[in-house]
Amino acid sequence: MTALPTGIVTFLFTDIEGSTRLLQQLGPRYGEALAQERALLRAAFDRWQGIEVDTQGDAFFVAFVNPLDAVACAAESQRALAQAVWPDGATVRIRVGLHTGEPDIAAGGYVGMDVHRGARICAAGHGGQILLSQSTCDLVAADLPDGLTLRDLGDHRLRDVQHPEHLYDLIVAGLPQDFPPLRTVRAQTLPIPPTTLVGRESAIRAVRALLRQDGVRLLTLTGPGGIGKTRLGLQVASEMMASFADGVYHVPLAAVSDATLVLAAIGRALEIREGGGAGSLTAWLAGKRLLLLLDNFEQVIGAANDVADLLAGLPEMRVLITSREALHVRGEHEYPVLPLESPPFRGSDVAPLDAVIQFPAVTLFIERARAIRPTFAATPANLPAIVEICARLDGLPLAIELAAARTRLLSPQAMVPQLSSRLSLLTDGPRDLPDRQRTLRDAIAWSYELLSPQEQTLFRRLALFARGFTLDAAVAVNTTLDGTAPVAFLNRVASLVDKSLLRQREDEDGEPR
């Protein structure tokens, strides 16, 4: 075996696109086509001083001392395959990835991240395509041979590679130049949250486990405004990138008010050039294993059937939705996002500091308060007030964060008496948040305005009950006010529960409350 070059090396990876489909098409003649493809590629490797490192199935791993030789070899390989006559009129196309690095050698082969990066670049492409990493581009861009040009594809996140890679298309004159979007997650697809996620470890594990189950293809995270559905969804999506070879895409829907525009919004997120109609979406998504995060679905709930129909013909796709109410379509699984756990409040009699700060609600308050006042700390003096604040805000993350922002002016002890006017107090959210998340009143109003007039009336009437209510008590009050039939009333109560404006729990006797 020829000695492998050391130092700075350019790697060339290839494999056949759709090799399984080609095998089914050609049957016994597949071996003939594979032998022909290997002969053509090896002739190009020899011509451009490429050293064959490894061959597995229909894939090659080749090393070059000169990056320009690697580029020329890739172009010649694609030309040779495009001009060849294949058995039974078949078409054999390869994708090629080029990356330059300084790998280590162990046990007769290359090791290190540069090897993995090159392989992932190749896997991101399509048949007939040649992809270059930034490092290879930097070395060859000024000296490309005639007939070769580069097209900037921007930053992309490669599977199992932590940091984004800037990629380029090598355009070969006379060969196809237009390809579908790369099989990657674009670096900007998932927004990077500005703060840490607190207290959702078990929820993350549970949602990830659900999305890995064969029968779960549509999962909806439900809960009231400010509970942290979007934040949880983004965390799960970012942690599952390696599970979806064709990408994880975030589709923000908060600014979409017309349900008929949801498919178009999905098309834009996927960068589908043909548009976002159902037909073009289904065609582009066919056979792809990817995850869509449809965020803030409650105001376009009328698009539920469109999403269900889209999923019906795409067995490899998963959809994760954040919404204040479930879609109520077949195949949907629901995961209610619960408030953060708070320690029980018993006046000034609280558990020791070390025990209390383990509760996620308290941890969140302290972390966000420190972001406002770096010297802020939980002490035996302010701990009872912090516990009371978290308890009275029902562990709602948005409310706790807004309360923590008030530590700019108020100590926790001074804040407690103000909690009787929570909607007036909790109004100091960051300017870069959507309006509905800058105040607690706006968070409630966002959901309230999505209710029917009858549901709005019922919601206002239920404010008569200071500490919750039984269904019998609510029926009695409502029928006294306007004589609504009990069945219609119960349906409206159920709708408010579905829309996360009421939370149902059982009292000590098992009675729903």
Side-chain angles (χ1 to χ4, degrees), residues 235-288:
Q235 187 68 32
V236 169
S238 67
E239 292 187 12
M240 295 196 73
M241 286 181 180
S243 300
F244 293 93
D246 295 303
V248 176
Y249 293 85
H250 177 233
V251 185
L253 296 172
V256 180
S257 58
D258 186 345
T260 64
L261 300 179
V262 168
L263 293 183
I266 295 173
R268 286 194 300 273
L270 297 174
E271 298 182 345
I272 298 176
R273 299 172 186 174
E274 295 82 2
S280 59
L281 275 176
T282 302
W284 190 87
L285 291 166
K288 290 183 171 63

Side-chain angles (χ1 to χ4, degrees), residues 92-337:
V92 177
R93 301 198 307 168
I94 63 168
R95 47 192 163 212
V96 180
L98 298 173
H99 174 62
T100 303
E102 197 168 359
D104 296 324
I105 296 180
Y110 290 111
V111 296
M113 274 306 300
D114 285 317
V115 177
H116 292 281
R117 192 176 293 270
R120 294 304 187 209
I121 290 172
C122 175
H126 300 273
Q129 191 169 25
I130 303 170
L131 295 176
L132 277 66
S133 68
Q134 183 70 63
S135 59
T136 304
C137 176
D138 289 342
L139 294 171
V140 303
D143 299 303
L144 285 175
D146 292 341
L148 301 182
T149 56
L150 292 171
R151 177 167 56 202
D152 191 334
L153 298 177
D155 286 338
H156 288 260
R157 185 170 291 158
L158 302 170
R159 183 181 176 189
D160 298 332
V161 177
Q162 182 177 4
H163 299 294
E165 178 69 42
H166 206 96
L167 298 178
Y168 297 82
D169 247 340
L170 181 69
I171 305 301
V172 182
L175 296 183
Q177 302 181 5
D178 294 323
F179 301 98
L182 297 184
R183 301 174 185 273
T184 64
V185 181
R186 288 189 61 94
Q188 66 267 31
T189 295
L190 294 180
I192 300 175
T195 56
T196 56
L197 182 60
V198 174
R200 295 299 190 190
E201 292 80 7
S202 61
I204 293 170
R205 288 193 296 270
V207 174
R208 290 181 61 176
L210 282 169
L211 287 171
R212 289 195 177 103
Q213 292 182 18
D214 290 339
V216 180
R217 298 175 53 226
L218 173 60
L219 178 61
T220 304
L221 307 180
T222 59
I227 200 71
K229 302 181 295 295
T230 293
R231 189 66 180 82
L232 174 60
L234 287 171
Q235 187 68 32
V236 169
S238 67
E239 292 187 12
M240 295 196 73
M241 286 181 180
S243 300
F244 293 93
D246 295 303
V248 176
Y249 293 85
H250 177 233
V251 185
L253 296 172
V256 180
S257 58
D258 186 345
T260 64
L261 300 179
V262 168
L263 293 183
I266 295 173
R268 286 194 300 273
L270 297 174
E271 298 182 345
I272 298 176
R273 299 172 186 174
E274 295 82 2
S280 59
L281 275 176
T282 302
W284 190 87
L285 291 166
K288 290 183 171 63
R289 180 170 177 78
L290 56 78
L291 173 67
L292 288 181
L293 172 58
L294 305 185
D295 194 13
N296 289 295
F297 203 87
E298 57 270 2
Q299 81 282 6
V300 289
I301 203 72
N305 287 339
D306 292 336
V307 173
D309 291 343
L310 185 65
L311 263 175
L314 301 168
E316 295 300 314
M317 190 172 78
R318 300 290 184 271
V319 176
L320 179 63
I321 289 178
T322 71
S323 177
R324 300 189 189 190
E325 63 176 303
L327 276 62
H328 295 299
V329 296
R330 289 180 298 173
E332 179 185 28
H333 290 70
E334 183 178 354
Y335 185 88
V337 181

